[in-house]
Amino acid sequence: MLSCEVKVWGVRGSLPAPGAPTIRYGGNTSCITMEVAGEPLLIIDGGTGITRISPVSGDVFNLLLSHLHWDHTMGLPFFRAGDRAGAQVNVYGPAGDSGLRAGLDSVVCPPGFPITIDGLCGRWDLHDLGDETVDLGAFRVMARHLRHRGPTLGFRIEVGGHVLAYLSDHGPGAEGRSPEQDDLVPESVLELVRGADVLFHDSQHTEDEYARLRHFGHSTPAFAVKVALAGEVGSLLLFHHDPGRGDDELDVLADGARRLAAAQGFGGLVRAAAEGDSFVLGQAPDIRAASPD
């Protein structure tokens, strides 16, 4: 059976948050990887965490973009492992109204950045992705649109008989939905998370923040717990941390989520994802912190 190592390279949302208050959980924006020996490295999101990924044997990368907001794309022009002769980066992301290429060219382009993606070295192939399932080597990837601001995908990734679900930016109040829908876990979300070994889920807001900012399209830890319970997942990793929230505050949020989950009968691991976390998908949920370099 295939063994897949998962590494976390960035956990923040909105913008990077370097500095002393964020040392333990990290300040880079969203990026994780899934690695199977002999397969191209699978990268999920191109936040600033992607800049820390070292070149790998073969120099072929499959990159899933959940959406094209800055915090999920700002690392792409600085992805040194893909920006060199001989590298090939296969990018899959939401088509939106005009296609992934046009969307990405509107984000990475002058005058905000000196070049477009086409100006990088190596070969970068862009693929529109919708509500569909694609096979990327050993990885079977299901994509479904999520409730967020603008076209946004969540992913269910199956490999070696195990499943990782990634819902980085997801909020019940996005796109003008009424508060009466805040407790709804859509069937499309359940498709992504049902029975997953581990779920990375947006948990950017406290309850008070959500009451003011629900239209931003992000979730609370309580809603992440609700999704984990509805999907009967094994472990929940709170993700897309607010850039203004320090390590001690994240400890409090994670502890509250654990207590809430336990009170509702959830027996799996609940914790805030940290930059440097590394684990083998499908093994006992003993997520260790290790510097991914």
Side-chain angles (χ1 to χ4, degrees):
M1 183 174 291
L2 296 175
S3 176
C4 176
E5 183 176 16
V6 179
K7 290 185 178 180
V8 180
W9 303 86
V11 297
R12 293 284 162 179
S14 302
L15 76 162
T22 62
I23 289 293
R24 285 191 289 112
Y25 286 101
N28 280 302
T29 63
S30 303
C31 180
I32 72 171
T33 57
M34 301 178 70
E35 184 173 5
V36 170
E39 296 280 340
L41 186 68
L42 182 66
I43 306 171
I44 309 176
D45 271 334
T48 56
I50 200 173
T51 65
R52 302 183 60 210
I53 297 176
S54 300
V56 297
S57 177
D59 293 319
V60 178
F61 306 90
N62 290 323
L63 169 60
L64 302 173
L65 293 179
S66 63
H67 61 308
L68 304 185
H69 289 169
W70 287 347
D71 49 333
H72 295 258
T73 57
M74 66 175 69
L76 294 181
F78 304 98
F79 176 35
R80 290 171 297 174
D83 182 22
R84 58 183 190 154
Q88 178 168 343
V89 185
N90 305 307
V91 186
Y92 300 81
D97 294 331
S98 54
L100 178 62
R101 174 167 293 279
L104 201 52
D105 281 348
S106 71
V107 177
V108 183
C109 67
F113 195 78
I115 61 172
T116 66
I117 291 296
D118 285 339
L120 298 174
C121 295
R123 177 174 174 175
W124 289 63
D125 291 335
L126 307 184
H127 306 271
D128 291 347
L129 193 61
D131 290 334
E132 58 188 299
T133 299
V134 296
D135 290 324
L136 303 178
F139 300 96
R140 171 154 287 193
V141 179
M142 174 193 288
R144 293 290 184 269
H145 280 88
L146 300 178
R147 297 176 292 185
H148 190 50
R149 299 293 293 271
T152 302
L153 297 173
F155 302 113
R156 176 187 179 90
I157 302 161
E158 301 182 32
V159 58
H162 298 289
V163 175
L164 180 146
Y166 180 90
L167 284 69
S168 173
D169 290 49
H170 174 226
E175 299 172 343
R177 289 176 171 84
S178 66
E180 289 75 21
Q181 295 179 296
D182 280 1
D183 288 333
L184 173 67
V185 179
E187 180 57 34
S188 58
V189 168
L190 291 176
E191 283 187 86
L192 296 176
V193 307
R194 190 174 283 120
D197 294 85
V198 61
L199 165 62
F200 285 82
H201 196 285
D202 185 329
S203 60
Q204 181 160 341
H205 295 320
T206 65
E207 296 295 332
D208 287 344
E209 289 165 350
Y210 181 80
R212 293 184 288 108
L213 306 173
R214 59 186 303 279
H215 59 290
F216 279 20
H218 294 291
S219 294
T220 63
F223 188 77
V225 168
K226 180 184 291 290
V227 173
L229 283 163
E232 298 181 327
V233 307
S235 299
L236 170 63
L237 294 183
L238 307 176
F239 197 67
H240 206 269
H241 309 316
D242 188 279
R245 207 171 323 282
D247 293 335
D248 293 343
E249 295 170 291
L250 280 176
D251 287 340
V252 173
L253 281 185
D255 184 62
R258 276 190 293 272
R259 287 187 281 106
L260 177 63
Q264 297 183 43
F266 184 77
L269 173 77
V270 178
R271 62 159 287 182
E275 195 173 311
D277 282 347
S278 176
F279 60 96
V280 174
L281 187 63
Q283 288 190 0
D286 179 22
I287 294 175
R288 56 186 169 82
S291 178
D293 51 24

